[in-house]
Amino acid sequence: MAALKLSLWGMPVTVALAAFVGPTAPEVAAQGIDPSVLEVFEWRNVGPLVAGRSIAVAGSVARKNEYYAGATGGGLWKTTDGAHTWHPVSDGSFGGVSVGSVGICANDPDVVYVGTGEGQWRGTISTGDGAYVTRDGGRSWAAIGLDSETGQIAIARMRVHPRDCDVV
């Protein structure tokens, strides 16, 4: 563990930094376990590659392995295999790349609504350009409004009526 000494508004602050790397081969061998068991483990990405922060995630009870993840600086991504692989579904369809909310219709999981812009305000945010809908599971998208000429738009939640996919 390492300590980092910083100053926050003129007051000294110490931050503890720690990282878990896992046991080394000699440590495993010292416990009487064959170190070759470590050879099966490897690092892998479990989400969209270089998508940035994600604050918008949604799935459907009807499709247990299908999820959408909206990145604040990387568009909308979809998995159909329980997050093993992800595919971009908004590239070229949205005016911007910031996704702040996702809503899926319970009656028809192919109907997905997306609100753009980062709803979690912080020092640096990504703004959006309105709301979008797909009725074919992300193959095509249509802008449905809520855009702003100021460029300061953020739609932090999209809720779809549980029985009427046209009411958001």
Side-chain angles (χ1 to χ4, degrees), residues 68-163:
Y68 292 86
T72 60
L76 186 68
W77 296 75
K78 180 180 179 179
T79 181
T80 56
D81 60 10
H84 184 70
T85 59
W86 291 86
H87 306 281
V89 293
S90 63
D91 289 1
S93 298
F94 295 2
V97 295
S98 179
V99 174
S101 58
V102 180
I104 300 175
C105 181
N107 279 350
D108 183 356
D110 282 336
V111 178
V112 180
Y113 290 88
V114 171
T116 61
E118 186 174 355
Q120 296 291 328
W121 294 99
R122 44 184 260 142
T124 58
I125 62 163
S126 298
T127 58
D129 66 336
Y132 294 85
V133 64
T134 181
R135 297 187 179 282
D136 57 14
R139 288 185 294 279
S140 64
W141 293 88
I144 57 172
L146 299 177
D147 53 336
S148 169
E149 291 183 19
T150 66
Q152 298 299 316
I153 187 96
I155 302 170
R157 287 197 176 80
M158 287 296 246
R159 295 197 177 156
V160 185
H161 192 280
R163 292 176 301 282

Side-chain angles (χ1 to χ4, degrees), residues 9-87:
W9 294 294
M11 299 172 54
V13 177
T14 301
V15 179
L17 303 173
F20 177 74
V21 177
T24 63
E27 291 170 335
V28 170
Q31 296 177 25
I33 301 171
D34 181 2
S36 67
V37 299
L38 296 178
E39 293 173 7
V40 299
F41 294 103
E42 58 184 62
W43 289 99
R44 78 174 180 92
N45 184 24
V46 294
L49 183 64
V50 278
R53 297 179 310 281
S54 180
I55 57 174
V57 178
S60 171
V61 175
R63 296 180 185 154
K64 66 178 184 171
N65 288 317
E66 184 175 287
Y67 299 93
Y68 292 86
T72 60
L76 186 68
W77 296 75
K78 180 180 179 179
T79 181
T80 56
D81 60 10
H84 184 70
T85 59
W86 291 86
H87 306 281

